[in-house]
């Protein structure tokens, strides 16, 4: 008997994590018939917030009374998931990407609120990545649409709404009967299609975890081609082969530095590959608890500049009131009850 992580079909194919208790975020290791080895054996999707991963080899080590199965891989469709142009893969028609293009998502609205003096550059970046209504399209270097990752964000702070989880375009199309149930997701790097543009041939490639981080850094540092893996554990050799003969800098989240440093040692096909230690060297203890990434540093700068531009007497009073009500919510009740408004004495 052989085991591998259960293929994603829809949200119901994900289970409750035995460690963090969150629903629909845990992937079982299953046999060839789709039966889980044990409900404790699997991996949580919340790599930073939880990090639970209990593989079969550890399970059998902890349970010596059970027979250890063969460890050879499945002779399956995994062969189809290469990045080479002659490899058959399932794709999504480009028309879905074109129809979804929008700047009206909560994430886009948040970014535009911080880039009022740089809207043209931000819009170009959103166009380059073919951003939909918070759909992060995975388009490979041969311009094939591998998948569309749907991540909800709030518009107030541009943060992920984690309770709603992540969905995929192909899952929705399967439910609608547009795709057959055997349609298989073969992921690539977010932004991979940008590698083929003539203007990007000699640029340094920068690889981050989050798709949002790739967008933010592409606005701030346009001299690099910014790509995203979609998660800390997604830094695989198979995905990275598209970076052969390129100079690449990897920017892990603050909690992923050591793991990525080990992974990058295998990327000998890159012309030059190194892992940035900017967060490792400069992150505060609070930053580490918050599990920040490089985009958080950029967004802090953007927010600081916005406060500077909005630093009028009335804006300062409003900020002071906000800080006071955050410390003592009763004050907000009084303000609402009596209809109080901030007034600045110009005299």
């Amino acid at each position: 008997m052989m085991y591998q992580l259960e293929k994603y079909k829809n949200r119901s194919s994900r289970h409750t994590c035995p460690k963090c208790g969150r629903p629909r975020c845990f992937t079982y290791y299953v046999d060839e018939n789709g039966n889980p080895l044990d409900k404790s054996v699997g991996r949580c999707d919340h790599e930073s917030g939880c990090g639970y991963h209990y593989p079969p080899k550890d399970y059998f080590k902890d349970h010596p009374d059970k027979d250890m199965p063969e460890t050879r891989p499945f002779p399956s469709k995994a062969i189809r998931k290469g990045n080479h142009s002659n490899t058959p893969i399932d794709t999504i028609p480009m028309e879905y990407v074109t129809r979804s293009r929008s700047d009206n998502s909560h994430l886009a609205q948040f970014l535009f609120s911080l880039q009022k003096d740089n809207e043209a550059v931000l819009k170009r970046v959103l166009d380059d990545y073919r951003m939909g209504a918070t759909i992060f399209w995975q388009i490979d270097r041969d311009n094939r649409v591998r998948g569309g990752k749907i991540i909800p964000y709030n518009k107030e702070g541009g943060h992920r709404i984690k309770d709603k989880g992540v969905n995929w375009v192909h899952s929705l199309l399967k439910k609608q009967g547009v795709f057959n149930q055997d349609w298989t997701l073969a992921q690539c790097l977010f932004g991979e299609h940008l590698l083929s543009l003539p203007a990007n041939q000699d640029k340094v490639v920068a690889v981050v975890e989050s798709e949002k981080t790739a967008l933010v850094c592409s606005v701030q540092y346009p001299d690099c081609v910014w790509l995203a893996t979609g998660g800390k554990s997604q830094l695989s050799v198979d995905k990275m082969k598209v970076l052969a003969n390129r100079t690449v800098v990897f920017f892990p989240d603050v909690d992923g530095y050591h793991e990525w440093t080990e992974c990058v040692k295998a990327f000998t096909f890159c012309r030059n590959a190194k892992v940035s230690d900017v967060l490792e060297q400069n992150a505060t203890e609070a930053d580490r608890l918050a599990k920040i990434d490089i985009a958080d540093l950029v967004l802090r700068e953007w927010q600081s500049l916005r406060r500077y531009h909005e630093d009028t007497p009335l804006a300062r009073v409003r900020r002071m009131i906000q800080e006071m009500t955050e410390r003592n919510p009763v004050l907000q009740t009084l303000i609402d009850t009596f209809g109080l408004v901030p007034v600045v004495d110009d005299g």
Side-chain angles (χ1 to χ4, degrees):
M1 191 68 66
M2 299 169 290
Y3 294 91
Q4 70 171 8
L5 287 169
E6 185 177 15
K7 300 296 183 183
Y8 183 88
K9 297 176 182 176
N10 49 51
R11 291 193 69 195
S12 64
S13 69
R14 291 297 178 259
H15 316 280
T16 299
C17 176
K19 179 181 178 182
C20 67
R22 298 182 192 177
R24 297 180 178 179
C25 71
F26 189 68
T27 307
Y28 291 147
Y29 277 96
V30 298
D31 62 23
E32 292 172 299
N33 298 316
N35 301 313
L37 171 58
D38 186 89
K39 291 188 177 181
S40 66
V41 181
R43 185 175 69 192
C44 181
D45 293 342
H46 300 282
E47 296 167 334
S48 297
C50 175
Y52 182 85
H53 183 204
Y54 190 32
K57 65 177 181 178
D58 291 346
Y59 175 82
F60 286 107
K61 186 185 300 182
D62 296 337
H63 298 80
D65 55 311
K66 299 184 181 296
D67 293 330
M68 181 72 173
E70 299 178 61
T71 57
R72 59 188 176 86
F74 278 113
S76 68
K77 296 180 185 177
I79 299 173
R80 302 170 65 232
K81 293 190 176 182
N83 276 314
H84 304 293
S85 59
N86 60 349
T87 306
I89 59 168
D90 292 323
T91 62
I92 297 173
M94 184 62 74
E95 64 185 88
Y96 286 94
V97 178
T98 304
R99 291 209 311 260
S100 74
R101 177 70 188 96
S102 172
D103 292 336
N104 295 323
S105 70
H106 286 170
L107 176 60
Q109 291 173 12
F110 168 71
L111 295 178
F112 275 113
S113 74
L114 299 178
Q115 289 287 292
K116 292 182 178 179
D117 296 330
N118 205 24
E119 287 187 355
V121 173
L122 175 55
K123 183 170 179 56
R124 176 188 56 75
V125 167
L126 295 175
D127 284 337
D128 286 346
Y129 287 90
R130 320 254 182 105
M131 277 299 297
T134 321
I135 302 175
F136 297 96
W137 293 105
Q138 293 186 4
I139 306 171
D140 66 22
R141 63 180 177 183
D142 297 314
N143 215 37
R144 300 174 297 185
V145 185
R146 300 289 195 93
K149 191 175 181 182
I150 306 169
I151 306 178
Y153 288 84
N154 63 43
K155 60 183 176 182
E156 292 79 17
H159 301 299
R160 276 184 60 178
I161 305 175
K162 295 185 178 180
D163 291 342
K164 292 187 177 180
V166 172
N167 207 341
W168 291 86
V169 171
H170 71 273
S171 296
L172 301 179
L173 294 176
K174 281 184 178 182
K175 288 182 179 179
Q176 296 168 10
V178 178
F179 285 174
N180 294 328
Q181 292 304 308
D182 62 354
W183 194 101
T184 303
L185 174 65
Q187 293 192 60
C188 68
L189 292 166
F190 173 69
E192 183 180 307
H193 62 285
L194 300 176
L195 295 172
S196 300
L197 298 180
N200 293 335
Q201 295 302 306
D202 297 323
K203 285 186 177 181
V204 172
V205 177
V207 178
V208 295
E209 292 185 33
S210 160
E211 294 89 349
K212 170 187 167 184
T213 299
L215 295 177
V216 170
C217 290
S218 190
V219 174
Q220 185 74 5
Y221 307 109
D223 291 336
C224 293
V225 182
W226 291 88
L227 311 179
T229 64
K232 182 166 59 177
S233 66
Q234 299 298 313
L235 197 71
S236 66
V237 170
D238 189 50
K239 273 189 180 179
M240 297 307 124
K241 283 182 179 177
V242 294
L243 305 180
N245 302 314
R246 301 290 296 247
T247 296
V248 189
V249 182
F250 295 86
F251 291 88
D253 290 5
V254 72
D255 63 335
Y257 176 76
H258 297 292
E259 182 175 331
W260 275 29
T261 298
E262 287 302 309
C263 289
V264 169
K265 291 177 181 178
F267 304 157
T268 55
F269 43 81
C270 294
R271 180 191 308 153
N272 185 23
K274 66 178 182 179
V275 180
S276 170
D277 64 353
V278 63
L279 294 180
E280 185 70 12
Q281 296 297 326
N282 297 290
T284 64
E285 189 60 33
D287 290 336
R288 295 184 185 280
L289 289 173
K291 296 182 174 66
I292 69 164
D293 65 9
I294 189 174
D296 290 306
L297 301 184
V298 175
L299 290 173
R300 286 177 191 174
E301 182 178 342
W302 289 3
Q303 289 166 327
S304 177
L305 288 171
R306 182 175 69 175
R307 284 193 294 269
Y308 174 79
H309 291 304
E310 296 176 350
D311 197 22
T312 62
L314 182 57
R316 287 196 293 271
V317 170
R318 284 174 173 161
R319 283 203 305 275
M320 180 179 68
I321 293 172
Q322 181 180 352
E323 292 169 359
M324 292 170 64
T325 55
E326 287 175 352
R327 289 196 297 270
N328 187 357
V330 175
L331 290 176
Q332 187 62 54
T333 303
L334 292 173
I335 292 171
D336 295 339
T337 301
F338 295 102
L340 303 177
V341 295
V343 175
V344 176
D345 185 358
D346 295 330

